Amino acid sequence: MSRLIIPTTPFTDQKPGTSGLRKRVGMFCQPHYLENFVQAIFAAVPALQGNTLVLGGDGRFHNEVALQTILRMAAANGVARVIVARHGLLSTPAASHLIRLHGAAGGIILSASHNPGGPDGDFGIKFNAANGGPAPEALTDAMYRAACALHEYAISDAADIDLSQLGSHHIESTQIEVVDPVADYATLMQQLFDFDAIRDWLRSGHRVRLDALHAVGGPYAVHLFEDLLGAPLGSVRNAAPQPDFAGGHPDPNPASCPEMIAQMLRDDAPDFAAAFDGDADRNMVLGRHCVVTPSDSLAILAANARLLPQFRDGLPGVARSMPTSQAVDAVARTEGFDWYETPTGWKYFGNLLDAGRIALCGEESYGTGAAHVREKDGIWAALAWLNLLAAKRQSVADIVTAHWARFGRHAYSRHDYEGLSLEHGDAMLARLRGQIATLPGQQLGDLRVQAADDFAYTDPMDGSVSQRQGVRVLFEGGARAVFRLSGTGTEGATLRVYLERYLADPAQHGLATQQALAPLVAVAGELAGIAAISGRTAADVVT
Ligand code: G16
């Protein structure tokens, strides 16, 4: 075994997006591409030297090769110990937990989350810091700078490590420990929820359907829902992780899971269903005849927090990303706890969670989580809902209806315009920004603009400022249209239009979401010039 220094030249496109560096698999397969970015991580995080690193991925195509490369590079860069998941299969929330459990200096997670996988799909690499959370902007900027200045990387020429068996190995003087992350994660979940109550609820004839979409959540879901909670075998569907997610799109939302939605709208549907994404940090929650929006899910968990053992003492505060609906704000106002509005990206919750200012947070993009880790957590969210159902003994639909009756309904939808050219995406945002000053007071159809801005956030803990996080147009009566470009795509631009309308009158709570939002859709399209700039007349994906 020897440590090699390999000369390289920088790739100038290695700037991490909303959640790590995501590119087509082909890009990562080219010589030195992965190695350069990994070396940039070691350069930006000197604390890894002599310390512990957690490593794993969502099992997508190229994971296995990349894991072995990173093990060799960790050894050559002086990492003392690498904790790597068996088969390399590590969900993002479980990675966050392992970092915290072992006091690691950080973790590398190989995932492109909900993006498709396979040889023609996407690949990704992200770094989580010592608190278990996604690298903050200052750190990803440092990685980018290091990547741009790179002229060599260090790697050992050691042979591959067998990741199929638990045990300890060495590369150079680095200890490589292959662990079972499912067991550690399950232990954590059992500390947070009332497993006896959930077991009783399941035993009393309730049925559940969990869908892992052939991604990394499968083994975690089988162990928790079937082995530990006693749900019948087969309650977890698509449980075996596949490198290409069996050709599917591992994105838990109504557009990607039409069969599941159709089943849950039938009279003989299970009582509860949930799906998880590629790295098991996202979740979609459904009940019989009921699709719960992620924004409502967050608000309902907040309103019922004291029923969950994890929040027995109440919530200090909650946070949501800016485009997420204001449903949770209404709960916080009524219940008397603080709420925060942060930019899109889980990394912005980290400081608030670390400081104990919030204990629960969520995003419209099917992310919900709490202070037990520093990531959103799909399986945790499903367990939280099951615990709620067990405690309330009401159906999902009844819980949602009662919530709306108490707090009003925030009808909500996201319209995505995918595969735009970068120029068109930028032109729409520029057009919106150009109108900000003159919009307030304007009457647009039935809607009157109250305020408009380009969202900026000052972190209350460290004072860091994040500018230009999306254009918000706020209308009188609580409606909003929010516009931003996706930071997780790998090609062209995706315009996300987030639409929200507040319906106080219970007589309107039964309105179909798209019908309730139709006037707003038209106004938003005009404001961004979607048809004028791109020729598009309808969104590609509506969730
Ligand atoms: C990532 C972040 C999320 C964020 C989402 C937004 O999700 O972790 O916090 O809400 O991106 O994506 P976009 O920029 O495309 O709107 P994930 O699950 O892909 O890691």
Side-chain angles (χ1 to χ4, degrees), residues 16-350:
T18 312
S19 183
L21 184 69
R22 279 189 202 168
K23 302 281 177 195
R24 288 275 192 232
V25 167
M27 193 76 107
F28 271 100
C29 289
Q30 60 184 309
H32 308 315
Y33 194 86
L34 174 79
E35 290 86 342
N36 273 23
F37 189 70
V38 172
Q39 190 63 49
I41 293 176
F42 288 122
V45 192
L48 286 169
Q49 215 174 340
N51 220 318
T52 300
L53 171 77
V54 167
L55 177 64
D58 65 11
R60 69 179 56 228
F61 185 82
H62 201 51
N63 257 219
E64 286 179 7
V65 177
L67 286 167
Q68 298 291 346
T69 302
I70 295 170
L71 287 173
R72 283 193 277 268
M73 288 188 69
N77 280 278
V79 174
R81 181 166 71 134
V82 183
I83 293 174
V84 57
R86 180 163 48 180
H87 301 296
L89 289 174
L90 185 61
S91 81
T92 288
S96 182
H97 176 52
L98 280 186
I99 293 168
R100 296 163 66 80
L101 187 67
H102 294 280
I108 293 178
I109 307 167
L110 302 177
S111 173
S113 185
H114 55 287
N115 296 19
D120 302 321
D122 290 341
F123 189 79
I125 174 166
K126 51 188 182 177
F127 181 78
N128 280 31
N131 72 345
E137 227 167 55
L139 191 50
T140 53
D141 286 350
M143 288 172 195
Y144 180 51
R145 279 195 305 275
C148 290
L150 209 69
H151 54 90
E152 61 183 32
Y153 61 82
I155 189 163
S156 165
D157 64 357
D160 281 1
I161 295 284
D162 178 6
L163 297 182
S164 68
Q165 304 297 327
L166 302 182
S168 200
H169 309 258
H170 273 88
I171 299 182
E172 311 293 339
S173 57
T174 302
Q175 187 192 345
I176 312 288
E177 223 176 296
V178 185
V179 303
D180 173 9
V182 176
D184 285 328
Y185 179 81
T187 303
L188 176 66
M189 291 300 112
Q190 286 170 283
Q191 290 157 11
L192 304 177
F193 297 112
D194 186 343
F195 271 50
D196 287 337
I198 301 174
R199 258 184 229 112
D200 283 350
W201 182 83
L202 284 165
R203 253 190 244 122
S204 59
H206 294 100
R207 287 177 298 126
V208 296
R209 170 183 171 162
L210 292 313
D211 200 322
L213 304 179
H214 286 295
V216 78
Y220 296 83
V222 167
H223 186 53
L224 279 153
F225 298 106
E226 296 183 2
D227 299 346
L228 296 177
L229 287 169
L233 296 185
S235 298
V236 181
R237 309 277 183 95
N238 304 320
Q242 309 264 331
D244 64 348
F245 310 113
H249 196 160
D251 198 359
N253 65 41
S256 297
C257 307
E259 183 271 327
M260 194 175 179
I261 300 285
Q263 190 202 12
M264 293 307 291
L265 296 180
R266 289 164 44 159
D267 290 342
D268 63 350
D271 298 275
F272 173 81
F276 315 110
D277 74 331
D279 56 338
D281 57 359
R282 295 185 175 207
N283 76 94
M284 171 172 67
V285 162
L286 307 164
R288 188 181 304 125
H289 296 304
C290 182
V291 179
V292 187
T293 69
S295 299
D296 276 349
S297 175
L298 174 65
I300 290 167
L301 291 178
N304 294 284
R306 283 177 188 276
L307 294 176
L308 304 175
Q310 185 175 7
F311 305 130
R312 190 175 285 125
D313 300 329
L315 297 171
V318 293
R320 63 167 171 84
S321 67
M322 181 272 281
T324 304
S325 99
Q326 300 159 101
V328 77
D329 308 9
V331 175
R333 266 195 303 273
T334 307
E335 299 287 320
F337 48 76
D338 291 337
W339 80 94
Y340 299 84
E341 185 176 38
T342 57
T344 292
W346 206 262
K347 59 191 168 207
Y348 295 103
F349 295 137

Side-chain angles (χ1 to χ4, degrees), residues 350-369:
N351 279 349
L352 295 169
L353 288 163
D354 285 349
R357 293 254 188 131
I358 62 167
L360 174 69
C361 42
E363 297 188 278
E364 54 65 40
S365 53
Y366 294 83
T368 327

Side-chain angles (χ1 to χ4, degrees), residues 366-386:
Y366 294 83
T368 327
H372 61 288
V373 289
R374 293 292 179 274
E375 281 283 1
K376 54 188 183 276
D377 190 342
I379 287 173
W380 172 90
L383 288 168
W385 265 91
L386 286 182

